[in-house]
Amino acid sequence: MDLENTQSQMRKGVLEYCILCIIGKSECYASDIIDQMKEAKLIVVEGTLYPLLTRLKNAGLLNYKWEESKSGPPRKYYSLTDEGKSFLQALSGTWGELSEAVTSITSGK
Amino acid sequence: MDLENTQSQMRKGVLEYCILCIIGKSECYASDIIDQMKEAKLIVVEGTLYPLLTRLKNAGLLNYKWEESKSGPPRKYYSLTDEGKSFLQALSGTWGELSEAVTSITSGK
DNA sequence: TATAGTACTTTGTATTGCATAGTACTATAT
DNA sequence: ATATAGTACTATGCAATACAAAGTACTATA
């Protein structure tokens, strides 16, 4: 049993919530998301992020637009659809419930 | 994108932590664990729990002993090994960090 | 022109929650 | 004595996602 692996498993599902949250605050592109998550000490890597963004787009939760960048290649800026906003709401509840369940179990009440 | 699926993904890795926690409090068998988690509103099913307990045993984190039951078939009572105790300690830290990272991101600080 | 940095795409692997099917033991009903 | 129900555990295959790695493409600089 590998601690790092369990950490990775714990991230499953949570990353989706966090990413939707970041995009819900303001339009951003992949590196923005990586930076903001790194700042919060939640590391997400490209191989995870890009397919996840694609899945969310395909599920109708995100829109994107291409924007020229000041220096470097063009960027894909993402924003939430209405559906994305309400899904994020639901995920917030879900996380809250999970969090509380874990607290309940681990505190022994 | 399916809310239930995301919930299931969020449970990955977390169940391991909770189960170790429950066993760490006192020796118990599978149905005890299912009951205690159900009480905390965190549902775990047999198809998940038994293989997980087996994996933890094989990883040296759990021991078990068979006990006759008052009414019904014999039961497997689990307890933590020393290694299991320190792994649980580490998982507790891991959960705390993840939790805090999520709070940080979702509160917008 | 070549290189470096940035941004995105694709693919395959490992792992675990879960559904399902099955075995085995004990208690109760017929 | 046999059948059924309840309880406890085992095994297997599937779906989904984090992640590593390889690759393409655009822009700036040497």
Side-chain angles (χ1 to χ4, degrees):
Chain A
M1 233 58 180
D2 178 3
L3 190 62
E4 282 189 8
N5 178 57
T6 306
Q7 287 176 332
S8 173
Q9 298 297 329
M10 280 192 185
R11 283 197 277 272
K12 294 197 174 185
V14 175
L15 293 184
E16 188 174 315
Y17 172 46
C18 293
I19 285 160
L20 285 173
C21 234
I22 288 171
I23 294 172
K25 273 180 289 196
S26 79
E27 207 178 60
C28 49
Y29 80 110
S31 289
D32 283 336
I33 295 169
I34 289 175
D35 290 344
Q36 286 184 47
M37 292 189 78
K38 183 190 277 185
E39 223 179 276
K41 306 236 172 40
L42 188 51
I43 306 295
V44 58
V45 296
E46 300 164 9
T48 299
L49 182 57
Y50 286 111
L52 178 45
L53 288 171
T54 301
R55 286 197 312 263
L56 292 170
K57 166 64 172 77
N58 290 339
L61 303 186
L62 296 184
N63 282 320
Y64 66 77
K65 62 179 177 181
W66 285 103
E67 280 187 20
E68 303 279 350
S69 112
K70 294 199 203 113
S71 59
R75 298 163 173 179
K76 232 174 187 176
Y77 278 84
Y78 291 93
S79 56
L80 293 187
T81 63
D82 284 344
E83 198 183 340
K85 284 170 195 166
S86 70
F87 195 78
L88 174 58
Q89 199 91 331
L91 279 195
S92 175
T94 290
W95 170 257
E97 283 159 17
L98 181 66
S99 214
E100 216 167 292
V102 173
T103 297
S104 171
I105 288 165
T106 56
S107 68
K109 54 177 302 315
Chain B
M1 233 56 179
D2 180 355
L3 190 65
E4 282 189 9
N5 178 57
T6 307
Q7 287 175 332
S8 174
Q9 297 297 326
M10 280 189 184
R11 283 197 278 272
K12 293 194 177 188
V14 175
L15 292 186
E16 188 173 314
Y17 173 44
C18 293
I19 286 160
L20 286 173
C21 232
I22 288 170
I23 294 171
K25 273 180 287 197
S26 78
E27 204 176 62
C28 48
Y29 77 112
S31 289
D32 283 335
I33 295 168
I34 289 176
D35 289 343
Q36 286 182 49
M37 291 186 78
K38 182 192 278 185
E39 223 180 275
K41 304 239 175 36
L42 189 48
I43 306 295
V44 58
V45 298
E46 301 165 11
T48 299
L49 183 57
Y50 286 110
L52 177 46
L53 288 170
T54 302
R55 286 199 310 267
L56 292 170
K57 166 67 173 72
N58 289 340
L61 304 187
L62 296 186
N63 283 321
Y64 67 75
K65 64 179 174 180
W66 285 101
E67 279 186 20
E68 304 278 347
S69 109
K70 291 196 207 123
S71 57
R75 299 164 172 176
K76 231 174 188 174
Y77 279 84
Y78 291 92
S79 56
L80 292 189
T81 61
D82 285 343
E83 197 183 340
K85 284 170 193 165
S86 68
F87 193 77
L88 174 58
Q89 199 90 329
L91 278 196
S92 175
T94 289
W95 170 258
E97 284 161 15
L98 181 66
S99 214
E100 217 167 292
V102 171
T103 297
S104 172
I105 287 164
T106 56
S107 68
K109 57 179 297 327

